[in-house]
Amino acid sequence: MERSWEDLIQAMRQGSVRALSQMITAVENRETGWHEGMKAVYPFSGSACVIGITGSPGAGKSTLTSVIARRMAEQGLSLGIIAVDPSSPFSGGALLGDRLRMQEISTLPGIFIRSMATRGSLGGLCQAARDVTRILDASGKDVILIETVGVGQDEIDVVRASDFVMLVLFPGSGDGIQVIKAGTMEIADLFVVNKADRDGADEMASEIAAMLSLCAFEDRPVPQVVRTSALNRIGIDELMSVLTGIVRERKKRRLPGSDEVREEILELVEREISRLVRQDLAKNGRLQQSVDLILAKKSDPYTAAARLLPLFVRSSGACSGQEGRP
Amino acid sequence: MDQQGKIRVLIAKPGLDGHERGARVVAFGLRDEGFEVIYTGLRQTPEQIVNAAIQEDVRVVGLSILSGAHLSLTQKVIEGLRRNRADDVLVLVGGVIPDADRTALKDMGVAEVFTSGVRIGDIAALIRLHADAVPVQVQP
């Protein structure tokens, strides 16, 4: 890759949209030297407010995101929007359709929308989303909205890359108990009951509020519950006043917690180890040998794993030079 | 690591016709071929399409046009890409395109015109050929 990360970052910080989007591609694709690019980006990041928007498919996340983004842009804030959709586990391809509902805001000044595919768990959505967030942050965006897929582990991953999480629900998507048992109580900082023009919205909102009153929130404020209709523009003022408060608060506080930093380092290390393991075992054919043995019913996955790990450690030299050994 | 370095494709429908079946068939088909397809839906202005192509950093823009306005709409999209120094993006046109207009579209810079009956595999092959032949040019 004949280019200097510094040039690209400088161009991006001067407002080149093309440089910004190319920087994201390079890092998302984990092109050679991407670590260097992120090292150069890091000092410029840390001032944007990152809001995760999650909720089940069809809850209205994209429409709500687009309404919020328009309001924020009107307030003079610049925004980066990351819209995540799933990759096909079969072809590895993806159909990224969130932009469909956001096209009308995509040409507003200061708004940058980027669709991201989950690319399987191997890619590590959490780290990829975190990296893209950081790039947008460094390019000077005030607020970053991450809209998630709507199902599964990817949600939790995205949440970990955000400062604040908004959970979008709608009447008919289950009662308060469903919300709690899905484990979403812990991740949400704000509950939005969207499609509030439909029957059952009030009941749902009060049920959630009642549930919340039973939970202990020691280290953070009790999440609010807001009713909206993104399509009919109902309840948006109330939602915006909560979000504006969040953005303002975020500007005062900067440093990420030590837990977050520790987790990120561990994740980067784990990701790299996993990559090396796959590369190493695939290269020398040991993996296939084990697979063949198991298929021939001469071994089992547990034995194979126990046998392969020390071989990998030895061949990668992971233990050499440690702890002062000669 | 075949999950990485995905080829990103934008499928867009410029102009006013509301027939999106063809665009969807192509979008789904290309997803099944392993591409990351960004679908922007109906009634897009050339400005919105160019904007999406730049922000999404796609290698390919596929325009589906059945309205008869393919010459002027395609021209505007190509000019927009050039203005943004994104002329390395492969532009494909599909839909209802009279044979007589093929040459005019290609002269504008369209790589290929795909009308009904074409196989998805042929479109995919052309995209892969382009992606291999034209390395990414970074122009900050």
Side-chain angles (χ1 to χ4, degrees):
Chain A
M1 203 60 46
E2 299 161 43
R3 79 180 117 164
S4 123
W5 292 105
E6 279 70 25
D7 288 349
L8 202 55
I9 292 166
Q10 198 192 1
M12 160 187 116
R13 285 175 51 77
Q14 283 166 354
S16 162
V17 177
R18 185 117 160 103
L20 171 58
S21 70
Q22 289 180 332
M23 179 83 200
I24 292 174
T25 306
V27 169
E28 196 191 6
N29 287 347
R30 299 299 190 227
E31 283 175 18
T32 316
W34 71 273
H35 283 107
E36 298 305 315
M38 285 313 297
K39 279 185 212 167
V41 158
Y42 191 79
F44 296 113
S45 69
S47 45
C49 176
V50 185
I51 300 175
I53 300 174
T54 180
S56 53
K61 295 183 296 293
S62 299
T63 311
L64 208 51
T65 303
S66 148
V67 171
I68 293 168
R70 181 183 287 278
R71 288 288 191 98
M72 286 185 168
E74 282 165 7
Q75 291 171 10
L77 296 168
S78 61
L79 283 109
I81 300 172
I82 304 172
V84 184
D85 267 332
S87 292
S88 156
F90 304 106
S91 71
L95 191 68
L96 308 170
D98 288 327
R99 211 184 166 94
L100 189 74
R101 267 167 280 278
M102 298 186 199
Q103 270 299 78
E104 56 173 89
I105 59 156
S106 71
T107 48
L108 294 179
I111 292 189
F112 179 95
I113 305 174
R114 181 67 174 226
S115 311
M116 250 179 110
T118 53
R119 299 194 180 182
S121 55
L122 280 182
L125 178 64
C126 180
Q127 192 58 44
R130 215 184 250 144
D131 294 338
V132 175
T133 303
R134 209 163 260 156
I135 295 168
L136 288 167
D137 184 350
S139 80
K141 299 296 179 199
D142 300 309
V143 177
I144 293 150
L145 306 178
I146 310 178
E147 192 207 313
T148 69
V149 178
V151 270
Q153 179 60 32
D154 293 330
E155 304 309 287
I156 310 294
D157 280 354
V158 166
V159 163
R160 283 163 53 201
S162 328
D163 296 316
F164 181 86
V165 176
M166 197 172 112
L167 177 69
V168 186
L169 303 156
F170 62 101
S173 61
D175 58 18
I177 301 289
Q178 296 282 2
V179 174
I180 310 260
K181 81 173 182 196
T184 42
M185 217 56 159
E186 294 89 334
I187 63 167
D189 299 300
L190 172 67
F191 289 81
V192 178
V193 178
N194 194 35
K195 311 195 185 188
D197 51 323
R198 291 197 187 173
D199 284 347
D202 294 351
E203 289 85 338
M204 188 177 208
S206 50
E207 206 164 341
I208 294 167
M211 288 295 173
L212 288 170
S213 71
L214 299 176
C215 301
F217 292 93
E218 280 150 8
D219 52 347
R220 61 191 177 110
V222 178
Q224 280 181 266
V225 184
V226 179
R227 277 163 299 166
T228 59
S229 164
L231 209 56
N232 302 317
R233 308 288 192 266
I234 297 168
I236 305 299
D237 288 338
E238 196 191 346
L239 174 63
M240 288 314 295
S241 83
V242 176
L243 294 179
T244 309
I246 297 302
V247 174
R248 203 181 304 123
E249 277 301 303
R250 178 63 177 71
K251 283 214 187 312
K252 292 183 208 155
R253 172 182 76 87
R254 174 41 234 138
L255 293 172
S258 74
D259 285 353
E260 291 163 46
V261 176
R262 190 180 306 119
E263 272 309 308
E264 180 166 4
I265 298 171
L266 285 174
E267 206 164 303
L268 284 167
V269 172
E270 284 165 3
R271 198 60 68 188
E272 188 60 15
I273 291 175
S274 156
R275 192 183 66 82
L276 291 172
V277 168
R278 284 172 181 272
Q279 204 176 24
D280 185 68
L281 296 184
K283 196 169 54 193
N284 53 29
R286 287 174 189 154
L287 185 59
Q288 194 53 48
Q289 273 173 20
S290 297
V291 171
D292 294 341
L293 280 175
I294 295 166
L295 291 181
K297 302 214 186 281
K298 286 178 185 155
S299 182
D300 59 83
Y302 311 98
T303 308
R307 195 179 64 88
L308 288 175
L309 181 63
L311 290 176
F312 165 73
V313 171
R314 217 169 303 145
S315 78
S316 70
C319 287
S320 66
Q322 294 299 305
E323 295 160 354
R325 272 184 229 158
Chain B
M1 287 269 142
D2 59 81
Q3 288 282 347
Q4 308 193 0
K6 287 280 166 206
I7 298 172
R8 292 164 67 88
V9 179
L10 181 78
I11 297 293
K13 276 197 66 68
L16 294 174
D17 82 82
H19 304 282
E20 113 179 280
R21 181 104 184 168
R24 285 190 186 191
V25 167
V26 172
F28 282 118
L30 292 180
R31 177 201 59 184
D32 293 342
E33 289 282 344
F35 301 108
E36 285 184 0
V37 182
I38 294 121
Y39 184 58
T40 56
L42 292 170
R43 300 185 192 93
Q44 299 289 299
T45 64
E47 185 202 7
Q48 285 173 322
I49 293 169
V50 170
N51 195 49
I54 304 294
Q55 292 185 355
E56 300 287 356
D57 195 25
V58 292
R59 303 290 309 271
V60 181
V61 172
L63 302 173
S64 165
I65 311 171
L66 292 80
S67 64
H70 44 271
L71 290 177
S72 69
L73 288 169
T74 306
Q75 181 77 50
K76 283 178 188 157
V77 170
I78 288 178
E79 279 168 8
L81 289 172
R82 288 209 178 114
R83 243 191 332 273
N84 285 279
R85 291 196 287 171
D87 30 7
D88 54 334
V89 173
L90 186 79
V91 179
L92 306 174
V93 173
V96 178
I97 312 291
D99 280 344
D101 289 342
R102 281 174 178 263
T103 320
L105 285 169
K106 289 200 172 175
D107 286 347
M108 278 177 206
V110 172
E112 193 54 81
V113 177
F114 293 107
T115 49
S116 67
V118 73
R119 290 173 48 235
I120 294 287
D122 294 342
I123 304 178
L126 182 76
I127 292 173
R128 290 201 184 93
L129 202 65
H130 167 79
D132 289 343
V134 185
V136 176
Q137 294 162 18
V138 175
Q139 301 159 319

XYZ file of all heavy atoms in Angstrom, chain B residues 29-84:
433
model
N -28.818 -11.231 -5.981
C -27.912 -12.114 -6.710
C -26.456 -11.820 -6.399
O -25.652 -12.728 -6.193
N -26.119 -10.531 -6.339
C -24.726 -10.167 -6.075
C -24.345 -10.461 -4.629
O -23.212 -10.807 -4.333
C -24.484 -8.694 -6.424
C -24.566 -8.374 -7.923
C -24.317 -6.897 -8.169
C -23.575 -9.209 -8.726
N -25.322 -10.330 -3.722
C -25.049 -10.738 -2.341
C -24.685 -12.227 -2.317
O -23.719 -12.635 -1.665
C -26.268 -10.505 -1.455
C -26.020 -10.999 -0.025
C -27.281 -11.254 0.750
N -28.127 -12.253 0.107
C -29.322 -12.602 0.543
N -29.825 -12.015 1.596
N -30.043 -13.513 -0.083
N -25.463 -13.028 -3.057
C -25.202 -14.467 -3.072
C -23.872 -14.796 -3.751
O -23.315 -15.869 -3.556
C -26.349 -15.216 -3.766
C -27.635 -15.116 -2.958
O -27.544 -14.782 -1.750
O -28.723 -15.341 -3.514
N -23.381 -13.856 -4.553
C -22.053 -14.035 -5.170
C -20.947 -13.597 -4.206
O -19.774 -13.612 -4.559
C -21.959 -13.219 -6.457
C -22.801 -13.785 -7.601
C -22.144 -14.987 -8.277
O -20.939 -15.193 -8.085
O -22.863 -15.711 -8.993
N -21.335 -13.125 -3.012
C -20.334 -12.775 -2.008
C -19.954 -11.302 -1.943
O -19.018 -10.939 -1.239
N -20.680 -10.460 -2.656
C -20.379 -9.026 -2.584
C -21.161 -8.370 -1.450
O -22.198 -8.879 -1.021
C -20.747 -8.327 -3.894
C -20.025 -8.861 -5.099
C -20.694 -9.619 -6.047
C -18.674 -8.606 -5.276
C -20.027 -10.128 -7.158
C -18.002 -9.108 -6.383
C -18.683 -9.877 -7.328
N -20.668 -7.240 -0.991
C -21.447 -6.438 -0.051
C -22.210 -5.400 -0.867
O -21.626 -4.512 -1.474
C -20.536 -5.773 0.988
C -20.051 -6.770 2.029
C -19.213 -6.157 3.140
O -18.983 -4.930 3.138
O -18.777 -6.921 4.014
N -23.514 -5.562 -0.889
C -24.340 -4.732 -1.763
C -25.084 -3.685 -0.946
O -25.802 -4.012 -0.010
C -25.365 -5.605 -2.522
C -26.191 -4.747 -3.469
C -24.671 -6.721 -3.272
N -24.899 -2.439 -1.290
C -25.641 -1.372 -0.632
C -26.786 -0.996 -1.555
O -26.579 -0.617 -2.708
C -24.731 -0.153 -0.357
C -23.669 -0.552 0.675
C -25.538 1.022 0.191
C -22.287 -0.404 0.208
N -28.002 -1.151 -1.025
C -29.167 -0.887 -1.856
C -29.859 0.375 -1.368
O -30.206 0.487 -0.197
C -30.123 -2.092 -1.803
C -31.297 -1.909 -2.726
C -31.084 -1.701 -4.083
C -32.600 -1.896 -2.246
C -32.145 -1.498 -4.937
C -33.668 -1.700 -3.094
C -33.430 -1.499 -4.444
O -34.480 -1.275 -5.290
N -30.033 1.329 -2.262
C -30.560 2.625 -1.803
C -32.013 2.857 -2.172
O -32.569 3.889 -1.815
C -29.741 3.791 -2.388
O -29.757 3.674 -3.806
C -28.333 3.773 -1.891
N -32.623 1.925 -2.886
C -34.053 2.062 -3.146
C -34.395 2.989 -4.299
O -33.536 3.401 -5.080
N -35.679 3.311 -4.342
C -36.259 4.012 -5.491
C -35.997 5.510 -5.494
O -35.726 6.100 -4.467
C -37.781 3.820 -5.467
C -38.340 2.421 -5.719
C -39.828 2.417 -5.415
C -38.084 2.020 -7.146
N -36.164 6.090 -6.666
C -36.244 7.542 -6.869
C -35.084 8.317 -6.244
O -35.270 9.195 -5.430
C -37.584 8.072 -6.332
C -38.744 7.416 -7.051
C -40.081 7.968 -6.677
N -41.118 7.079 -7.202
C -41.661 6.081 -6.502
N -41.304 5.871 -5.257
N -42.578 5.311 -7.051
N -33.899 7.939 -6.642
C -32.720 8.628 -6.140
C -32.274 9.676 -7.144
O -32.319 9.440 -8.345
C -31.591 7.608 -5.942
C -31.929 6.531 -4.941
C -31.969 7.078 -3.540
O -30.977 7.574 -3.036
N -33.143 7.033 -2.922
N -31.816 10.801 -6.621
C -31.240 11.794 -7.527
C -29.797 11.376 -7.807
O -29.175 10.688 -6.997
C -31.221 13.193 -6.884
O -30.354 13.153 -5.740
C -32.612 13.613 -6.433
N -29.249 11.799 -8.954
C -27.837 11.487 -9.230
C -26.929 11.968 -8.093
O -25.973 11.286 -7.732
C -27.561 12.266 -10.525
C -28.886 12.305 -11.218
C -29.904 12.450 -10.105
N -27.277 13.100 -7.494
C -26.478 13.633 -6.391
C -26.458 12.647 -5.209
O -25.412 12.373 -4.625
C -27.060 14.978 -5.945
C -26.226 15.679 -4.890
C -27.040 16.696 -4.085
O -28.274 16.757 -4.262
O -26.417 17.402 -3.268
N -27.622 12.109 -4.869
C -27.690 11.139 -3.764
C -26.888 9.888 -4.080
O -26.228 9.322 -3.200
C -29.154 10.745 -3.492
C -29.961 11.814 -2.778
C -31.438 11.454 -2.690
O -31.997 10.882 -3.626
N -32.074 11.793 -1.588
N -26.940 9.462 -5.322
C -26.231 8.239 -5.715
C -24.716 8.445 -5.636
O -23.989 7.622 -5.083
C -26.663 7.800 -7.130
C -28.136 7.357 -7.098
C -25.769 6.680 -7.659
C -28.767 7.152 -8.455
N -24.253 9.578 -6.145
C -22.821 9.875 -6.112
C -22.359 9.971 -4.658
O -21.329 9.406 -4.259
C -22.515 11.191 -6.862
C -21.080 11.640 -6.619
C -22.784 11.014 -8.349
N -23.160 10.671 -3.868
C -22.877 10.841 -2.459
C -22.746 9.488 -1.744
O -21.809 9.249 -0.978
C -24.050 11.638 -1.878
C -23.750 12.206 -0.538
O -22.711 12.818 -0.352
N -24.640 11.973 0.403
N -23.699 8.606 -2.022
C -23.668 7.276 -1.397
C -22.434 6.508 -1.870
O -21.773 5.839 -1.075
C -24.938 6.498 -1.722
N -22.112 6.616 -3.146
C -20.956 5.888 -3.688
C -19.669 6.324 -3.000
O -18.805 5.505 -2.688
C -20.854 6.098 -5.198
N -19.545 7.626 -2.739
C -18.325 8.145 -2.103
C -18.277 7.739 -0.631
O -17.268 7.233 -0.146
C -18.276 9.693 -2.201
C -18.375 10.154 -3.651
C -17.019 10.246 -1.531
C -17.232 9.793 -4.521
N -19.382 7.942 0.082
C -19.385 7.636 1.516
C -19.193 6.145 1.767
O -18.540 5.751 2.729
C -20.692 8.104 2.162
C -20.828 9.617 2.199
C -22.068 10.090 2.945
O -22.895 9.305 3.371
N -22.187 11.395 3.088
N -19.772 5.331 0.897
C -19.669 3.880 1.102
C -18.393 3.316 0.483
O -18.107 2.138 0.630
C -20.895 3.170 0.511
C -22.233 3.592 1.129
C -22.435 3.041 2.543
O -21.580 2.268 3.007
O -23.452 3.395 3.163
N -17.657 4.140 -0.226
C -16.413 3.726 -0.875
C -16.595 2.444 -1.688
O -15.852 1.475 -1.522
C -15.296 3.544 0.167
C -13.918 3.478 -0.483
O -13.772 4.019 -1.598
O -13.000 2.898 0.118
N -17.578 2.443 -2.573
C -17.845 1.250 -3.379
C -16.904 1.192 -4.587
O -16.401 2.208 -5.046
C -19.312 1.211 -3.871
C -20.257 1.005 -2.717
C -19.678 2.466 -4.645
N -16.687 -0.030 -5.075
C -15.886 -0.204 -6.286
C -16.776 -0.151 -7.517
O -16.290 0.035 -8.632
C -15.177 -1.571 -6.270
C -14.281 -1.827 -5.071
C -13.036 -0.972 -5.085
N -12.282 -1.012 -6.318
C -11.323 -1.887 -6.601
N -11.011 -2.807 -5.734
N -10.673 -1.828 -7.743
N -18.059 -0.404 -7.320
C -18.981 -0.539 -8.442
C -20.279 0.199 -8.161
O -20.801 0.135 -7.045
C -19.326 -2.037 -8.671
C -20.267 -2.209 -9.853
C -18.075 -2.871 -8.839
N -20.801 0.921 -9.161
C -22.143 1.494 -9.060
C -22.989 0.873 -10.165
O -22.629 0.939 -11.344
C -22.124 3.029 -9.218
C -23.551 3.575 -9.313
C -21.413 3.691 -8.051
N -24.101 0.236 -9.775
C -25.021 -0.327 -10.749
C -26.291 0.505 -10.775
O -26.930 0.687 -9.746
N -26.625 1.042 -11.946
C -27.827 1.870 -12.066
C -28.900 1.065 -12.788
O -28.651 0.496 -13.847
C -27.515 3.136 -12.878
C -26.399 4.034 -12.345
C -26.106 5.155 -13.349
C -26.781 4.623 -10.992
N -30.092 1.030 -12.215
C -31.191 0.345 -12.870
C -32.198 1.388 -13.333
O -32.749 2.134 -12.535
C -31.848 -0.630 -11.882
O -33.102 -1.032 -12.386
N -32.403 1.471 -14.635
C -33.255 2.533 -15.183
C -34.245 1.945 -16.189
O -33.850 1.300 -17.154
C -32.399 3.620 -15.877
C -31.247 4.055 -14.961
C -33.267 4.828 -16.247
C -30.229 4.956 -15.618
N -35.524 2.170 -15.931
C -36.544 1.690 -16.857
C -37.402 2.835 -17.385
O -38.442 2.627 -17.997
C -37.456 0.651 -16.171
C -36.832 -0.696 -15.812
C -36.032 -0.628 -14.539
C -37.904 -1.765 -15.713
N -36.975 4.061 -17.102
C -37.833 5.200 -17.396
C -37.609 5.780 -18.779
O -38.381 6.591 -19.258
C -37.584 6.290 -16.366
O -36.249 6.745 -16.487
N -36.500 5.379 -19.410
C -36.173 5.978 -20.696
C -35.212 7.158 -20.580
O -34.701 7.662 -21.573
N -34.951 7.564 -19.326
C -34.065 8.728 -19.131
C -32.631 8.306 -18.850
O -31.870 9.049 -18.230
C -34.601 9.577 -17.987
N -32.272 7.101 -19.333
C -30.965 6.548 -18.965
C -29.787 7.401 -19.406
O -28.782 7.469 -18.709
C -30.824 5.116 -19.492
C -31.306 4.952 -20.893
N -32.622 4.643 -21.180
C -30.665 5.073 -22.071
C -32.755 4.571 -22.490
N -31.585 4.830 -23.053
N -29.913 8.061 -20.566
C -28.752 8.824 -21.055
C -28.415 9.985 -20.125
O -27.281 10.132 -19.671
C -28.993 9.316 -22.485
C -29.000 8.209 -23.556
C -29.317 8.800 -24.927
C -27.664 7.474 -23.595
N -29.415 10.803 -19.813
C -29.096 11.980 -19.006
C -28.795 11.613 -17.556
O -27.895 12.187 -16.940
C -30.231 13.009 -19.077
O -31.363 12.518 -18.422
N -29.523 10.625 -17.005
C -29.271 10.243 -15.604
C -27.874 9.644 -15.439
O -27.140 9.992 -14.515
C -30.335 9.238 -15.132
C -31.734 9.820 -14.907
C -32.761 8.700 -14.716
C -31.759 10.757 -13.708
N -27.507 8.758 -16.354
C -26.193 8.129 -16.275
C -25.087 9.173 -16.420
O -24.093 9.166 -15.685
C -26.052 7.050 -17.365
O -27.152 6.144 -17.246
C -24.764 6.290 -17.232
N -25.294 10.079 -17.368
C -24.329 11.159 -17.586
C -24.071 11.933 -16.286
O -22.934 12.203 -15.910
C -24.878 12.112 -18.657
C -23.954 13.278 -19.011
C -22.808 12.831 -19.905
O -23.029 12.180 -20.913
N -21.595 13.156 -19.514
N -25.168 12.259 -15.595
C -25.033 13.046 -14.357
C -24.296 12.272 -13.267
O -23.492 12.837 -12.529
C -26.405 13.479 -13.848
C -26.974 14.639 -14.647
C -28.355 15.015 -14.162
C -28.965 16.052 -15.105
N -30.437 16.052 -15.027
N -24.582 10.983 -13.171
C -23.905 10.177 -12.149
C -22.399 10.107 -12.462
O -21.554 10.307 -11.587
C -24.509 8.756 -12.058
C -23.654 7.849 -11.177
C -25.932 8.819 -11.516
N -22.080 9.872 -13.720
C -20.666 9.760 -14.097
C -19.927 11.077 -13.883
O -18.817 11.111 -13.347
C -20.538 9.247 -15.547
C -20.925 7.758 -15.569
C -19.123 9.441 -16.085
C -20.908 7.118 -16.922
N -20.580 12.174 -14.244
C -19.958 13.490 -14.005
C -19.720 13.718 -12.516
O -18.677 14.239 -12.115
C -20.845 14.608 -14.557
C -20.685 14.801 -16.055
C -21.771 15.690 -16.642
O -22.565 16.276 -15.855
O -21.842 15.800 -17.873
N -20.708 13.338 -11.714
C -20.584 13.500 -10.263
C -19.417 12.699 -9.703
O -18.655 13.186 -8.868
N -19.263 11.473 -10.188
C -18.148 10.635 -9.723
C -16.819 11.270 -10.120
O -15.879 11.317 -9.329
C -18.266 9.224 -10.310
C -19.399 8.352 -9.748
C -19.530 7.060 -10.554
C -19.161 8.022 -8.273
N -16.768 11.793 -11.350
C -15.521 12.427 -11.817
C -15.178 13.641 -10.970
O -14.034 13.854 -10.597
C -15.665 12.856 -13.278
C -15.664 11.672 -14.203
C -15.104 12.017 -15.577
N -15.118 10.773 -16.365
C -15.871 10.598 -17.430
N -16.616 11.580 -17.904
N -15.854 9.446 -18.064
N -16.229 14.433 -10.672
C -16.012 15.643 -9.871
C -15.420 15.282 -8.513
O -14.648 16.035 -7.947
C -17.338 16.375 -9.659
C -17.366 17.751 -10.280
C -18.559 18.588 -9.857
N -19.763 17.867 -9.488
C -20.704 17.483 -10.342
N -20.578 17.726 -11.627
N -21.788 16.866 -9.911
N -15.790 14.127 -8.019
C -15.275 13.688 -6.718
C -14.027 12.828 -6.863
O -13.631 12.134 -5.919
C -16.350 12.911 -5.965
C -17.411 13.822 -5.406
O -17.228 14.435 -4.365
N -18.525 13.955 -6.114
